[in-house]
């Protein structure tokens, strides 16, 4: 599933290609992927110009000059691809055509993702937005904020706590495993057992792995592609994610794969305590 760096890469890519474009046609074949009625599309999307693209957690927001916005969640296999002539294909759920003839494709093989049209004034009231924790790369996300929010979940593993989008937004399986490795913390540890020093390290490495992955264009483990169809490079060289059975890059021990928080979890038995 795309995590914060992948969604940020898509949002940044969209920002550079669709802002200023005017939507003239929308085709969609699957109501769950695009639930709005024809009337709503007619009233608020057709003829509208995209004014800005941003990201909150794993949700992409495209503002329109009609006061409405398009929200997109890529979920497991969603892609937003701009004007690449290998699309549409069998995974394409929505095609948006702009007045200059270019197209934006929302592809989603597994059909868990969605694209919705919504009044901008309603976005902050959506339950899925309201329950989100802070953005880990924002300046006001300090290690104390991480600790205080995490400590509301003392009896769960630190991995489950980090995956909880109400604690902090945008973390998924890959970057949680990577950050816990760099911080030297076993994913299965109960949150309550972490010291302030460990929260400081964890905070530092959550931000560093996310930023490093954004710099590398994200991780393309499965379906994830950037707006121009390119793959991300982060998983070319991870510390632990997907490296079970191989040597730890730091100590040479064998990286283990276990199950924590119902997720496949990668860790080093020596570097992480
Ligand atoms: Zn190690």
């Amino acid at each position: 599933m795309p995590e914060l760096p992948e969604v940020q890469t898509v949002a940044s890519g969209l920002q550079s290609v669709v802002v200023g474009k005017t939507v003239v046609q929308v085709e969609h074949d699957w109501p769950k992927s695009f639930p709005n009625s024809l009337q709503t599309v007619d009233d608020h999307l057709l003829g509208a110009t995209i004014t800005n693209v941003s990201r909150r957690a794993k949700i992409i927001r495209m503002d329109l000059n009609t006061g409405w916005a398009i929200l997109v969640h890529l979920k497991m296999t969603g892609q937003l691809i701009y004007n690449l002539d290998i699309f549409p294909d069998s995974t394409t759920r929505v095609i948006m055509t702009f007045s200059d003839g270019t197209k934006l494709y929302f592809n989603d093989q597994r059909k868990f993702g969605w694209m919705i049209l919504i009044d901008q004034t309603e976005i902050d009231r959506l339950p899925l937005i309201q329950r989100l924790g802070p953005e880990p790369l924002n300046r006001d996300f300090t290690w104390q904020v991480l600790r205080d929010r995490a400590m509301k979940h003392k009896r769960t593993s630190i991995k489950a706590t980090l995956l909880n989008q109400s604690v902090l937004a945008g973390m998924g399986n890959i970057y949680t495993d990577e950050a816990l490795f760099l911080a030297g913390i076993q994913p299965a540890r109960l949150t309550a057992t972490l010291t302030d020093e460990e929260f400081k390290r964890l905070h530092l490495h959550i931000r560093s792995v996310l930023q490093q992955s954004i710099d590398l264009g994200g991780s393309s483990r499965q379906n994830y592609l950037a707006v121009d169809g390119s793959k991300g490079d982060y998983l070319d060289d991870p510390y632990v994610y997907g490296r079970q059975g191989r040597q730890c890059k730091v100590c040479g021990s064998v990286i283990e794969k276990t199950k924590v928080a119902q997720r496949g979890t990668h860790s080093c038995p020596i570097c992480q305590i």
Side-chain angles (χ1 to χ4, degrees), residues 181 240 247-255 267-272:
F181 171 78
V240 289
Q247 280 193 338
C248 172
K249 293 177 179 183
V250 174
C251 74
S253 312
V254 176
I255 298 295
S267 61
C268 173
I270 302 298
C271 294
Q272 292 168 264

